[in-house]
Amino acid sequence: NFMLTQPHSVSESPGKTVTISCTRSSGSIASNYVQWYQQRPGSAPTTVIYEDNQRPSGVPDRFSGSIDSSSNSASLTISGLKTEDEADYYCQSYDSSFWVFGGGTKLTVL
Amino acid sequence: EVQLVQSGAEVKKPGESLRISCKGSGYSFTSYWISWVRQMPGKGLEWMGRIDPSDSYTNYSPSFQGHVTISADKSISTAYLQWSSLKASDTAMYYCARQVGAIEGWFDPWGQGTLVTVSS
């Protein structure tokens, strides 16, 4: 199986834009969809992006997802940062009947 | 509203057995797989395994195969995660999640989590 590697932490100021990367260790990032989950402290995860770049209803369009085959990575971009976006973010993908999570990225909005 | 409601927190001793539950509502329980995900204290998410409630077919992550058992009772729309002999290293938050989408799927919604504490 492959691994998904995320930066441990990122920080940015309110109103700014931040991008969180998720690099696949082997196999093509484009082979399987990538999802992104937000987990606020003390809460269960919720989906912010599914199928690489789709937003569930209720998720603001400040959240967007993309994949880059040249770097074999997926990215979650959050624009117009708000303090409520401060959370842990996890990417997730699939490989032959196994589901894989990245290690998570702690986003600090300061 | 689609919901997964999990059983309450548990405190157990090493060697004891445990079964935690996850009850689905607001949708056809047999139409979506249920996965279990572990989150150890201060750590990330780990996929443990999944079950198809329609026929109870399961598959497990190699990291958890043989250590836990996933089952379901479709008559009461409930999935289970069980241990026959707990270890201190099983201390964690456990989430169930419905898998939506095609074969690959993604997890939505998630249950609220069940905290399992194993301590002598």
Side-chain angles (χ1 to χ4, degrees):
Chain A
N1 287 357
F2 60 87
M3 290 176 21
L4 296 172
T5 300
Q6 301 180 233
H8 181 69
S9 63
V10 296
S11 62
E12 191 48 272
S13 303
K16 300 291 190 179
T17 296
V18 70
T19 298
I20 299 171
S21 63
C22 170
T23 302
R24 179 166 169 159
S25 63
S26 61
S28 171
I29 192 70
S31 296
N32 305 96
Y33 287 127
V34 175
Q35 280 66 234
W36 290 90
Y37 303 94
Q38 177 192 68
Q39 185 179 33
R40 294 190 174 107
S43 296
T46 60
T47 310
V48 292
I49 294 290
Y50 67 95
E51 292 183 349
D52 295 342
N53 54 20
Q54 302 299 302
R55 272 180 292 104
S57 60
V59 174
D61 60 7
R62 301 185 296 106
F63 289 81
S64 63
S66 64
I67 63 168
D68 180 357
S69 295
S70 65
S71 59
N72 212 37
S73 64
S75 294
L76 171 68
T77 299
I78 310 172
S79 60
L81 275 169
K82 301 183 176 183
T83 55
E84 68 204 47
D85 299 331
E86 188 160 292
D88 294 327
Y89 291 86
Y90 294 90
C91 60
Q92 173 261 310
S93 193
Y94 167 88
D95 179 31
S96 304
S97 297
F98 300 106
W99 284 261
V100 180
F101 288 97
T105 299
K106 180 177 180 58
L107 170 63
T108 302
V109 182
L110 36 67
Chain B
E1 180 193 5
V2 176
Q3 278 192 100
L4 295 176
V5 178
Q6 298 184 226
S7 50
E10 300 275 0
V11 179
K12 292 289 189 179
K13 290 180 167 40
E16 291 186 331
S17 62
L18 174 65
R19 188 177 77 168
I20 62 176
S21 66
C22 167
K23 184 173 177 61
S25 63
Y27 72 101
S28 172
F29 186 70
T30 54
S31 296
Y32 299 87
W33 301 343
I34 294 286
S35 270
W36 286 93
V37 176
R38 183 176 78 174
Q39 187 168 39
M40 299 179 77
K43 302 299 183 181
L45 305 173
E46 301 173 87
W47 180 76
M48 301 175 71
R50 63 94 179 171
I51 187 165
D52 179 346
S54 68
D55 61 7
S56 289
Y57 176 81
T58 55
N59 68 291
Y60 297 88
S61 162
S63 299
F64 295 92
Q65 179 84 48
H67 297 289
V68 297
T69 301
I70 296 171
S71 60
D73 184 341
K74 60 186 178 182
S75 70
I76 55 172
S77 301
T78 300
Y80 302 98
L81 177 66
Q82 67 183 66
W83 295 260
S84 58
S85 181
L86 286 160
K87 304 175 183 178
S89 57
D90 293 317
T91 294
M93 181 73 82
Y94 293 89
Y95 294 100
C96 63
R98 187 184 71 157
Q99 291 192 234
V100 295
I103 293 175
E104 297 182 20
W106 67 94
F107 305 110
D108 191 86
W110 297 59
Q112 83 278 19
T114 297
L115 181 61
V116 174
T117 303
V118 184
S119 174
S120 55

